Amino acid sequence: GRVVLDGRVGRLTGPADQALLRRLREEADAVLVGAATVRAEGYTTLLRPEARERRRRERGSAEPLLCVVSREASLGAGSPALGEAPGPLIFLTSHGAELPEADREVTALRSPENSSGDHITLRPLIERLRSEHGVERVICEGGSTINAALLAEGVVGELFVAISPLIAREPGSPPLVAGVTA
C-alpha cells in the first residue's frame, strides 16, 4: 500500500477514519510528524474548537504538543504550522539546527552534538518528551521514513492503519514503511 494520493493522505481516508484520527489526537499528549508531512498537510491546529474546549476542561491543555522531526528544523517560509496556534511546536532535530521564526511557541529537543547529522535517533528524544514535557501517549502521523525509524528503534506500541477502498499505485507515493517495496 501507499500512504498518499496526489501528495496528500486525505483522499485515502473517509469520514470514519478522520473521526477516529481526531479522537486519537484528542487523547494523545503529543502528535509526532515529519517535516515533509507538515509541508504537505499544513498542520495549523490539531483539534476542532469543540474538542479543544473539552480537552482544556478535562486535561488542562487545548491540544497535544505538535512534535516535528526535521534535521534542519525547517518547514519553509509561510508554513501554517508556524502560525498562531493553541499549543507549542517542538522540533526533534539535530544539534546545530536553527529554529524558525514563528507566531507560536517553538522549542527544540536536539540530538546529541556527537550524533550523525544524517539521522536523528528518535528513542532518546521521545524519552525526553516524556521526562521534560510529561508526554505519555504519542500518536505518530508520520510518513514512511518516520514509520521505519520508529519500528527499527522498537518504540511502536500499537499500529493503526486505515485501509482505503481506493487502490493507489502512484510511482512517487511512498510506502507505509520506508525501504519496503511491493
Side-chain angles (χ1 to χ4, degrees), residues 2-100:
R2 301 295 173 177
V3 294
V4 296
L5 187 61
D6 297 328
R8 305 218 29 215
V9 72
R11 286 186 46 210
L12 290 174
T13 64
D17 299 316
Q18 293 166 10
L20 180 54
L21 174 65
R22 285 190 299 274
R23 188 65 186 157
L24 290 170
R25 280 180 175 179
E26 191 174 342
E27 294 299 321
D29 299 313
V31 172
L32 180 68
V33 66
T37 301
V38 172
R39 285 185 209 102
E41 302 288 341
Y43 281 82
T44 49
T45 58
L46 297 171
L47 301 174
R48 291 184 171 168
E50 66 276 5
R52 281 195 300 274
E53 192 53 43
R54 181 173 51 248
R55 183 184 159 97
R56 186 185 326 274
R57 282 192 315 271
E58 294 173 2
R59 305 206 40 209
S61 64
E63 291 201 341
L65 299 172
L66 176 58
C67 301
V68 179
V69 178
S70 171
R71 281 187 301 275
E72 299 85 26
S74 174
L75 298 177
S79 171
L82 297 173
E84 191 172 324
L89 166 62
I90 300 175
F91 280 99
L92 281 61
T93 190
S94 63
H95 178 74
E98 187 174 321
L99 295 179

Side-chain angles (χ1 to χ4, degrees), residues 124-144:
L125 297 177
I126 291 171
E127 290 171 356
R128 286 186 55 203
L129 276 173
R130 176 170 282 142
S131 66
E132 296 173 24
H133 297 275
V135 169
E136 293 295 324
R137 291 172 287 198
V138 177
I139 180 173
C140 177
E141 299 176 13
S144 61

